């Protein structure tokens, strides 16, 4: 009987749309267990009742349960699942993923975590499974954190995975009909120094790519296996190398793959690569690009080392309008040192971009939240005495509201919340209505969009009674949602999950 590893994708509180994001991180590491002769079962707690299914799949052949972790609400269910496993089995609980890699000490200290495998799982998960299977301590495997005589012990940090040895993710492990964002990762990391991003620490600001032949092979596999009409590139920075993107675009065109593809992109590439390049990108099927523009103030862009000019944003809006790509633009406010004037520049830029490209889409005006691994954390710890959460469970409720951002007083925080909501009712109102507004909420929706239009036009964000109301409603709903997810995960009779497992076992 093959030894088995159970991989768990903990639910995110935010479940947008009907389909779910694929548990891509786990699909990516599973082949490195399968090639070593281990059986892998993937449990997605957004789809499966984790209590029911874990009791079914964890047996004497199970070596360990691997859990992925991203900073934010995913930590909530990851802790819940880990604690539950401890009540039904002695099997080791192993955490991995971005959050565990950035803060391994905090994670390994928890009694419900036995090991942390830090870094890219392709390297250490196979050897780790063998060490558990042969009952050998994992001392010779890099990137492993464990407890020895109550003390935290760790092996040396592992290097980067050689992407030329990449295997195609294990898409067989999931029921793809349940997911959107089927796609591939053609490269990792980003050469840019943006101070609010995890990339500096997680990828050492290095960009790496898979060899083109592997990328082509993986696209062939996905297109023939799923007959996709849309393809997502999970890269941190897909456009780092111009020639590589041109080769991928020509490959899609030459193979007549009529697929809409999308990914993230930086605006300065529009200035550097020019219109003809993005014409090719459009012809190859790219319909949408997500851009983190962050601010309309050059001073703030320079401060966060975004390495972009406002002029790049104008070029981006112009070129996307001319070649027919929809830019989804994300902005951020509340960055330390930001003034009301900087924020005004951001609002003006949002209006200006929509004028240049009416199809442009302002997705969010997020409020800066210090995520681990970002250099800016060191700055705010030094200059604003910011205290990063010291325990894993503190990250469960970690968001803009809960963390002490000393450079913002209470009144300013309230205004920022209003500023972050208003654009959604101005620029996102159609999607908002389609996604979230049902019958009883309609009158409230019309009042909110009317008031938002007035507020936005007059840049007036104080006395925001309607947003305090909205926030209370959303918090209530999120807690209910989280409760629902957990109740859903807890309740026993889950046909779909049992059916799924039986189908896979068949
Ligand atoms: C797709 C995506 C999303 C999707 C789905 C996320 C998901 N994981 O399912 C959605 C849209 C839901 C999303 C939401 C958010 N995201 Co996002 N997202 C991404 C993106 C673009 C790809 C993630 C991915 O699949 N990468 C590819 C896989 C292969 O990489 P990986 O997850 O790191 O996995 C590798 C290792 O970590 C490890 N590993 C992973 N899991 C495990 C488990 C075990 C057991 C082991 C051994 C190893 C292991 O091995 C894998 C292979 O090497 C990344 C950027 C990026 N390119 O990574 C941002 C990213 C993960 N997101 C980020 C953030 C901040 C968010 C949001 C909080 C943004 C926001 N403010 O709302 C929300 C979070 C929602 C929440 N908290 O609940 C940050 C996370 C930073 C952090 N400290 O965790 C990232 C890194 C972006 C960035 N540049 O900062 N995101």
């Amino acid at each position: 009987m093959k030894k088995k590893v159970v991989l768990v994708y903990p639910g995110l509180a935010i479940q947008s749309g009907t389909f779910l994001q694929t548990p891509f991180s786990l699909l990516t590491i599973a082949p490195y267990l399968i090639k070593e002769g281990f059986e892998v079962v993937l449990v997605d707690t957004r789809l499966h009742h984790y209590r029911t299914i874990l009791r079914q799949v964890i047996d004497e052949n199970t070596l360990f349960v691997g859990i992925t972790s991203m900073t934010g609400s995913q930590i909530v269910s990851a802790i819940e699942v880990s604690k539950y496993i401890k009540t039904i089995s002695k099997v080791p609980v192993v955490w991995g993923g971005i959050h565990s890699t950035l803060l391994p000490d905090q994670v390994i200290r928890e009694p419900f975590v036995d090991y942390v495998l830090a870094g890219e799982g392709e390297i250490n998960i196979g050897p780790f499974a063998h060490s558990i299977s042969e009952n050998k301590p994992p001392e010779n495997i890099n990137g492993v954190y464990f407890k020895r005589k109550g003390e935290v012990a760790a092996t040396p940090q592992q290097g980067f995975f050689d992407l030329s040895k990449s295997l195609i993710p294990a898409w067989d492990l999931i029921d793809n009909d349940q997911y959107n964002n089927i796609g591939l990762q053609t490269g990792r990391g980003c050469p840019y120094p943006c101070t609010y991003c995890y990339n500096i620490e997680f990828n050492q600001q290095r960009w790496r790519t898979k060899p083109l032949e592997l990328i082509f092979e993986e696209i062939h596999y996905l297109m023939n296996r799923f007959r996709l009409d849309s393809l997502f590139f999970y890269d941190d920075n897909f456009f780092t190398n111009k020639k590589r993107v041109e080769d991928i675009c020509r490959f899609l065109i030459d193979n007549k793959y009529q697929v809409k593809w999308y990914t993230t992109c930086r605006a300065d590439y529009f200035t550097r690569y020019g219109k003809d390049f993005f014409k090719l990108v459009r012809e190859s099927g790219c319909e949408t690009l997500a851009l983190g523009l962050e601010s309309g103030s050059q001073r703030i862009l320079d401060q966060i080392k975004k390495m972009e000019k406002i002029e790049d944003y104008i070029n981006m809006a112009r070129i996307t309008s001319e070649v027919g790509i929809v830019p989804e633009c994300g902005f951020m406010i509340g960055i330390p040192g930001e003034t009301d004037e900087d924020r005004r520049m951001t609002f003006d830029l949002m209006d200006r971009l929509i004028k240049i490209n009416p199809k442009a889409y302002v997705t969010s005006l997020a409020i800066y939240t210090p995520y681990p691994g970002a250099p800016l954390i060191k700055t705010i710890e030094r200059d604003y005495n910011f205290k990063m959460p010291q325990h894993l469970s503190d990250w469960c409720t970690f968001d803009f509201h809960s963390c002490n951002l000393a450079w913002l007083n209470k009144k300013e925080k309230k205004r920022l919340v209003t500023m972050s909501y208003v654009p959604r009712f101005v620029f996102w109102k159609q999607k908002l209505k389609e996604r979230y507004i049902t019958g009883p909420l309609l009158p409230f929706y019309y009042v909110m969009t009317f008031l938002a239009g007035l507020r936005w036009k007059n840049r007036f964000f104080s006395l925001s009674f309607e947003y305090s109301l909205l926030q209370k409603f959303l918090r209530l709903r999120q807690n209910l949602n989280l409760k629902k997810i957990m109740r859903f995960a807890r309740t026993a009779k889950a046909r779909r999950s049992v059916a799924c497992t039986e189908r896979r076992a068949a």
Side-chain angles (χ1 to χ4, degrees):
M1 187 75 165
K2 273 187 177 181
K3 289 292 180 193
K4 176 172 29 179
V5 174
V6 177
L7 296 177
V8 176
Y9 184 91
L12 295 171
I14 315 164
Q15 307 292 3
S16 58
T18 46
F19 292 104
L20 296 176
Q21 299 267 352
T22 68
F24 194 71
S25 50
L26 298 179
L27 297 175
T28 300
I29 60 174
Y32 302 86
L33 289 165
I34 295 165
K35 80 175 174 68
E36 296 297 317
F38 299 108
E39 181 199 351
V40 177
V41 172
L42 194 153
V43 174
D44 184 333
T45 70
R46 299 164 300 175
L47 283 178
H48 300 293
H49 301 266
Y50 76 83
R51 289 180 173 228
T52 313
I53 198 162
L54 286 174
R55 268 206 308 276
Q56 283 163 3
V57 296
I58 295 177
D59 56 23
E60 64 289 350
N61 281 317
T62 306
L63 293 172
F64 63 89
V65 178
I67 298 184
T68 191
S69 60
M70 190 172 72
T71 308
S73 50
Q74 190 170 47
I75 306 279
V76 180
S77 44
I79 292 176
E80 169 122 5
V81 170
S82 305
K83 285 182 176 169
Y84 176 69
I85 293 167
K86 288 297 168 196
T87 65
I88 62 165
S89 157
K90 294 216 171 344
V91 74
V93 172
V94 178
W95 281 45
I98 298 169
H99 190 82
S100 303
T101 299
L102 293 170
L103 297 168
D105 287 300
Q106 290 191 6
V107 176
I108 193 60
R109 286 185 199 292
E110 296 294 342
F112 46 79
V113 178
D114 301 291
Y115 297 94
V116 169
L117 294 186
E120 295 171 312
E122 292 94 336
I123 302 174
N124 51 16
I125 201 162
F128 178 79
H130 281 299
S131 75
I132 297 286
S133 168
E134 294 144 21
N135 230 342
K136 289 201 190 105
E139 260 99 9
N140 310 329
I141 303 162
N142 291 342
V144 183
Y145 290 72
F146 54 100
K147 279 162 264 191
R148 188 167 42 203
K149 302 192 186 79
E151 289 304 310
V152 168
T155 62
Q157 198 174 352
Q158 66 177 21
F160 285 124
F161 173 62
D162 172 358
L163 292 178
S164 70
K165 297 200 177 73
S166 297
L167 301 172
I168 292 180
W171 292 99
D172 300 342
L173 293 180
I174 58 171
D175 176 359
N176 299 289
D177 302 340
Q178 311 275 354
Y179 295 97
N180 67 357
N181 271 22
I182 308 284
L184 68 159
Q185 191 178 36
T186 68
R188 282 187 189 156
C190 172
Y192 284 87
C194 309
T195 60
Y196 54 87
C197 181
Y198 87 125
N199 181 55
I200 310 274
E201 182 163 335
F202 194 84
N203 296 302
Q204 313 295 323
Q205 206 182 333
R206 264 184 61 197
W207 176 74
R208 296 167 291 143
T209 178
K210 287 178 183 174
L212 274 177
E213 58 277 6
L214 274 190
I215 296 172
F216 295 164
E217 188 196 315
E218 194 165 346
I219 294 175
H220 272 315
Y221 170 85
L222 290 171
M223 295 308 294
N224 297 321
R225 166 91 199 268
F226 298 119
R227 309 226 169 287
L228 298 173
D229 63 357
S230 75
L231 193 65
F232 178 53
F233 290 106
Y234 279 84
D235 296 43
D236 294 284
N237 188 342
F238 179 77
F239 289 88
T240 304
N241 176 302
K242 185 181 182 200
K243 170 93 177 42
R244 187 191 82 122
V245 178
E246 288 166 343
D247 292 339
I248 294 172
C249 291
R250 293 216 175 79
F251 169 83
L252 290 168
I253 294 168
D254 297 349
N255 286 276
K256 300 188 175 33
Y257 280 139
Q258 304 294 337
V259 63
K260 291 180 291 216
W261 63 268
Y262 57 108
T263 188
T264 55
C265 183
R266 288 175 52 89
D268 63 330
Y269 289 132
F270 286 84
T271 306
R272 290 171 50 200
Y273 296 168
K275 182 177 173 185
D276 292 346
F277 169 85
F278 282 99
K279 238 180 168 172
L280 172 68
V281 167
R282 179 70 192 87
E283 278 157 23
S284 71
C286 176
E287 279 197 349
T288 310
L289 288 173
L291 299 111
L293 305 184
E294 320 312 355
S295 176
S297 154
Q298 191 62 55
R299 188 182 70 82
I300 291 293
L301 291 178
D302 298 345
Q303 182 191 305
I304 59 177
K305 299 190 179 156
K306 183 73 181 168
M307 312 282 280
E308 282 180 332
K309 298 277 178 242
I310 299 298
E311 181 217 333
D312 295 326
Y313 295 175
I314 305 307
N315 288 338
M316 176 279 292
R318 185 176 48 75
I319 291 176
T320 51
S321 164
E322 288 162 5
V323 302
I325 289 175
V326 174
E328 292 188 349
C329 308
F331 291 88
M332 196 159 51
I333 46 175
I335 294 159
E338 184 188 70
T339 62
D340 258 353
E341 186 44 32
D342 294 318
R343 292 166 193 151
R344 187 175 291 281
M345 289 182 197
T346 300
F347 307 149
D348 295 350
L349 177 68
M350 291 156 95
D351 285 340
R352 193 170 167 202
L353 295 179
I354 301 281
K355 268 211 192 72
I356 299 168
N357 182 350
K359 289 217 178 75
Y361 201 21
V362 172
T363 51
S364 66
L365 183 54
I367 304 175
Y368 167 67
T369 308
Y371 278 95
L376 194 49
I377 289 233
K378 299 225 172 7
T379 314
I380 57 177
E381 283 173 338
R382 184 195 63 223
D383 302 349
Y384 297 96
N385 197 21
F386 172 74
K387 292 274 176 291
M388 192 145 80
Q390 291 308 306
H391 300 287
L392 178 63
S393 50
D394 300 339
W395 290 96
C396 292
T397 51
F398 179 78
D399 64 10
F400 157 72
H401 305 284
S402 64
C403 57
N404 163 30
L405 305 179
W407 58 93
L408 298 168
N409 60 35
K410 205 158 179 298
K411 192 159 160 276
E412 227 175 353
K413 265 191 168 182
K414 201 158 187 293
R415 277 183 69 244
L416 286 183
V417 170
T418 308
M419 286 174 185
S420 82
Y421 276 123
V422 168
R424 296 180 205 186
F425 288 89
V426 174
F427 297 108
W428 219 52
K429 57 184 173 211
Q430 205 38 46
K431 271 252 161 99
L432 208 62
K433 193 174 176 198
E434 285 158 20
R435 282 204 188 165
Y436 303 107
I437 307 299
T438 48
L441 288 175
L442 262 178
F444 186 60
Y445 165 78
Y446 289 123
V447 171
M448 292 298 284
T449 44
F450 171 71
L451 290 175
L454 281 182
R455 282 186 179 282
W456 186 253
K457 202 153 147 283
N458 302 292
R459 304 291 194 244
F460 180 71
F461 303 101
S462 304
L463 306 174
S464 53
F465 65 91
E466 77 272 32
Y467 288 99
S468 320
L469 273 180
L470 177 66
Q471 260 195 301
K472 289 195 176 63
F473 167 74
L474 289 176
R475 248 216 217 113
L476 182 69
R477 201 187 59 158
Q478 176 143 4
N479 294 343
L480 287 177
N481 187 11
L482 204 55
K483 286 203 179 74
K484 198 173 72 198
I485 290 178
M486 289 303 136
R487 197 171 47 252
F488 174 70
R490 274 194 286 275
T491 47
K493 285 196 290 323
R495 276 184 305 287
R496 196 164 58 198
S497 62
V498 176
C500 237
T501 321
E502 274 150 8
R503 211 182 26 243
R504 252 205 312 284

